[in-house]
Amino acid sequence: MNEVKVIEIKKSVFEDNNRDADALRRELKERGVYLLNLMSSPGSGKTTTLIRTINLLKDKIRIAVMEADIDSDVDAIKIKEATGIQSIQLHTGGMCHLDAEMTRQGLDNLALEGVDLAILENVGNLVCPAEFDTGAARNAMILSVPEGHDKPLKYPLMFSVCDLVIVNKIDVLPYFDFDMEKCVEYVHMRNPRASIIPICAKTGEGVEKVAEWLLKEVENWKK
Amino acid sequence: MHELGIVFYIIRDVKKAAQENGVQHVSAVVMNIGEVSTIIPDYLTDCWRWAADKESLLAGSELKINMIPAVTHCDACGKDYSTVEHGKTCPYCGSGQTWLLRGNEVEIKEIEVPN
Ligand SMILES: Nc1nc2c(ncn2[C@@H]2O[C@H](COP(=O)(O)OP(=O)(O)OP(=O)(O)O)[C@@H](O)[C@H]2O)c(=O)[nH]1
Ligand SMILES: [Mg+2]
Ligand SMILES: [Zn+2]
Ligand SMILES: [Zn+2]
């Protein structure tokens, strides 16, 4: 007789999350809330870009932000102080990414009534946030110039799940050998539909394009 | 660390399966891990040791890893090739119209329970 009994499972660890994410997306669609999942490496400029973008949009639509900080509420406070909009910290419990369940818990802590656009600043990391669907309507990512134009080759999954790639810190282009044409080519290899918007979050250059993109997205979502 | 997060999902799924099958203790969990899944097997088993020992269902259990070689298919010439060796460009015809056939798995294959 065998010493062990084998029970077949054959189940991807992403399966439950994918189902939760689809359910959340459907609910948000019904409620007319557009959720954007914003990803990037640490320090590429997510918070700075959000502040600029929100200040351009906050008189037109109602916005709320969730900041996934592993251990601090610095970004959530920064957003609130710089824009005046509703902003909370999402506890990741030490996780290197957010999943649909954590996102749902975050949304439960927001006053979502009347909110048109909810933005999730994901954990700074180009690997696993791409693997975990949060239930967002769309994924966006920020690639900053010092990181290099070949990131789409090194992190293919991240770039294949994003419909918007914001290239930030274009003010430092003269100091790096960042090739914008190559960057566009590599991003489109991963996702031919992706919009690419170069900006300087520090000065606000190009940020109006990000605001326009978002406004159109939110309008379409509500149709 | 990514692997620790993955371990929590494995534990959640194994707990569910154990409950459904009336299992009191699990002696091993067998994973199918794709070569290009970004999971580092050694990290995964280290994280497993740390987290599984905190659960009575899984204390002392082994995480066995079954690596799945990554294979890419070329739409242009119809051939399959090793992803790790050749990447996105087909070594037979040079086409870039290729896609990953397998090698991305992070899958619980089976659990072993004492008879
Ligand atoms: N030169 C330059 N610096 C920028 C720009 N945008 C942001 N920074 C700087 O980059 C640093 C990081 O910006 P954050 O907005 O905090 O980046 P983040 O992605 O939110 O960072 P984490 O939340 O820590 O991952 C700060 O010192 C910003 O002032 C830019 O367009 N140009
Ligand atoms: Mg930030
Ligand atoms: Zn992770
Ligand atoms: Zn070929």
Side-chain angles (χ1 to χ4, degrees), chain A residues 8-193:
Chain A
E8 177 159 307
I9 312 263
K10 260 279 185 197
K11 180 179 171 188
S12 161
V13 299
F14 305 117
E15 191 180 305
D16 285 4
N17 185 61
N18 289 342
R19 207 176 37 229
D20 294 348
D22 284 337
L24 180 58
R25 201 164 15 250
R26 267 196 308 274
E27 267 170 57
L28 290 173
K29 174 88 181 165
E30 271 164 33
R31 296 174 72 174
V33 179
Y34 179 96
L35 175 64
L36 181 77
N37 174 27
L38 181 63
M39 299 175 282
S40 84
S41 306
S44 65
K46 296 180 291 298
T47 306
T48 314
T49 302
L50 282 181
I51 289 171
R52 289 274 182 191
T53 311
I54 291 164
N55 280 333
L56 291 178
L57 286 174
K58 68 183 178 192
D59 295 333
K60 301 191 177 89
I61 52 175
R62 193 108 153 240
I63 310 171
V65 169
M66 296 183 285
E67 289 285 334
D69 260 334
I70 290 185
D71 201 31
S72 80
D73 54 3
V74 177
D75 282 350
I77 291 169
K78 226 186 255 174
I79 298 261
K80 192 177 271 166
E81 284 178 356
T83 67
I85 67 153
Q86 191 186 173
S87 156
I88 60 165
Q89 188 208 345
L90 246 185
H91 295 274
T92 59
M95 274 294 220
C96 43
H97 61 266
L98 288 173
D99 63 17
E101 188 51 41
M102 293 185 257
T103 305
R104 179 188 289 280
Q105 284 166 14
L107 290 166
D108 287 345
N109 288 318
L110 281 174
L112 265 193
E113 252 338 280
V115 167
D116 307 297
L117 168 64
I119 303 173
L120 173 64
E121 180 178 325
N122 212 313
V123 181
N125 158 357
L126 292 183
V127 183
C128 47
E131 285 173 331
F132 289 89
D133 190 341
T134 57
R138 289 269 186 261
N139 297 314
M141 70 90 59
I142 301 182
L143 173 65
S144 64
V145 166
E147 294 171 72
H149 57 259
D150 56 357
K151 280 285 178 294
L153 299 181
K154 293 181 182 162
Y155 300 92
L157 186 62
M158 172 57 71
F159 289 85
S160 67
V161 301
C162 285
D163 288 306
L164 172 64
V165 175
I166 298 169
V167 180
N168 188 30
K169 310 196 184 179
I170 56 170
D171 55 314
V172 300
L173 273 172
Y175 311 105
F176 291 87
D177 57 359
F178 189 98
D179 186 330
M180 191 66 80
E181 253 171 58
K182 283 234 172 70
C183 178
V184 170
E185 183 194 327
Y186 295 159
V187 168
H188 284 154
M189 268 166 64
R190 299 306 174 210
N191 179 4
R193 293 180 307 153

